[in-house]
Amino acid sequence: MKPVPLPVFGAALAAALLLSACGSAPDEAPDDADHSGVDGDEAAADGETDGDGDGDGEAQGDGASAAGLSAPDRLITAAQEGAGRAASFGFTEMGFVSDEVAGSYRELLEENSLAGEDPEAQVSPEACAQPLAAVDFSPLLLGEETVRADYFADSFSGAGSIELATLDGEADQERVAEHLENVAALLDSCRDTEFTLDGIDYELRIEEPTLQDQDGVSSEQAENTAAYSWERSGGEGTTFAQILFTQVDDDIIMVSFTGGEAAGSAEFTSIAEAIAAEASAALETAE
């Protein structure tokens, strides 16, 4: 399948961050010039997130192409295939995040979460502070030759994203291993936590969704796959998120949803698996 040009996002992007106000996703896709959308009627036949992927939608771009991104073509194509699969579930408003915005997001993560325990957050139990802060990991942190596409659906209050990167050396491998360890630590000992950030008290619940479509996944990939969902209450309301992280040979894929209650549902687990599988197949084809 030849890649279909998608618009390049040039403004702030939604992010599934725990210890940041950026964890709040918008109620709907922005309609400004930097977020020029796609034709929803052409992108998905049913426009519903029904969880079984029966929609025959394909992303159709009417904005700038992805040619200006610095990521390798194989990663851009894989991200586009994943975004196209998202369109079959009704996520018909989508586009690539520009290099400039990705750089700003990278700085945000490096300055806040990756420093370890966030000095502005008071976490209980205290032992959960470090893994809770460090779990805000993104493939974009592995260098400039990475790619992210965001997508939105009329039927979902929030946003989804797919990120891809290729591991370059031992340092990247160690960073990914540390991320998997942090996810495991949270699921093992920190499922219920409380934290205070900027004077606001939050309650956080972390769970491990049950992955269904693992029959075609190699044992090595299964070992390098982590999935978790969280529900954060406090401040202006409750935010839900779900993250699926997997490694395919030297490539990593992260699929995220942030926003309304549906983001943490089993339905969205199936959607995330389908998106990741589509991107994974594209990477294998590109080899």
Side-chain angles (χ1 to χ4, degrees), residues 66-280:
L69 300 176
S70 60
D73 289 344
R74 58 188 297 274
L75 295 186
I76 294 175
T77 299
Q80 189 147 20
E81 293 291 342
R85 189 70 174 98
S88 73
F89 295 100
F91 288 85
T92 57
E93 184 83 16
M94 59 184 71
F96 284 104
V97 172
S98 69
D99 285 349
E100 180 181 359
V101 173
S104 298
Y105 181 48
R106 191 179 296 117
E107 290 179 5
L108 171 68
L109 283 170
E110 288 175 342
E111 291 174 358
N112 294 332
S113 298
L114 292 187
E117 181 178 346
D118 191 322
E120 302 299 327
Q122 298 175 339
V123 181
S124 177
E126 189 174 337
C128 297
Q130 191 281 327
L132 188 60
V135 80
D136 278 340
F137 174 84
S138 165
L140 297 180
L141 287 164
L142 299 180
E144 296 182 0
E145 292 190 350
T146 53
V147 64
R148 170 169 172 154
D150 287 355
Y151 32 82
F152 307 84
D154 290 339
S155 56
F156 172 58
S157 175
S161 68
I162 180 170
E163 299 180 41
L164 293 99
T166 299
L167 303 181
D168 183 17
E170 186 175 346
D172 284 354
Q173 293 281 5
E174 291 178 353
R175 179 168 274 189
V176 168
E178 289 173 359
H179 176 61
L180 295 174
E181 290 173 359
N182 286 319
V183 173
L186 293 178
L187 292 172
D188 181 55
S189 305
C190 303
R191 292 193 176 223
D192 290 289
T193 61
E194 298 177 354
F195 67 91
T196 301
L197 181 65
D198 295 334
I200 301 176
D201 296 327
Y202 295 92
E203 294 182 359
L204 182 69
R205 173 68 179 172
I206 298 177
E207 296 182 345
E208 183 175 14
T210 300
L211 299 179
Q212 302 291 336
D213 301 327
Q214 295 295 294
D215 292 341
V217 175
S218 67
S219 58
E220 181 180 0
Q221 183 178 346
E223 291 177 359
N224 293 317
T225 295
Y228 65 102
S229 61
W230 55 258
E231 175 184 346
R232 185 187 63 197
S233 301
E236 297 182 355
T238 301
T239 301
F240 298 81
Q242 183 163 184
I243 298 92
L244 173 63
F245 181 94
T246 188
Q247 180 174 343
V248 184
D249 296 326
D250 289 332
D251 298 309
I252 58 173
I253 303 169
M254 190 171 83
V255 178
S256 305
F257 292 99
T258 313
E261 186 174 0
S265 68
E267 176 187 20
F268 272 59
T269 301
S270 297
I271 295 174
E273 287 188 272
I275 294 171
E278 197 76 20
S280 177

Side-chain angles (χ1 to χ4, degrees), residues 1-14:
M1 174 183 173
K2 182 179 179 181
V4 180
L6 293 180
V8 179
F9 282 18
L13 63 162

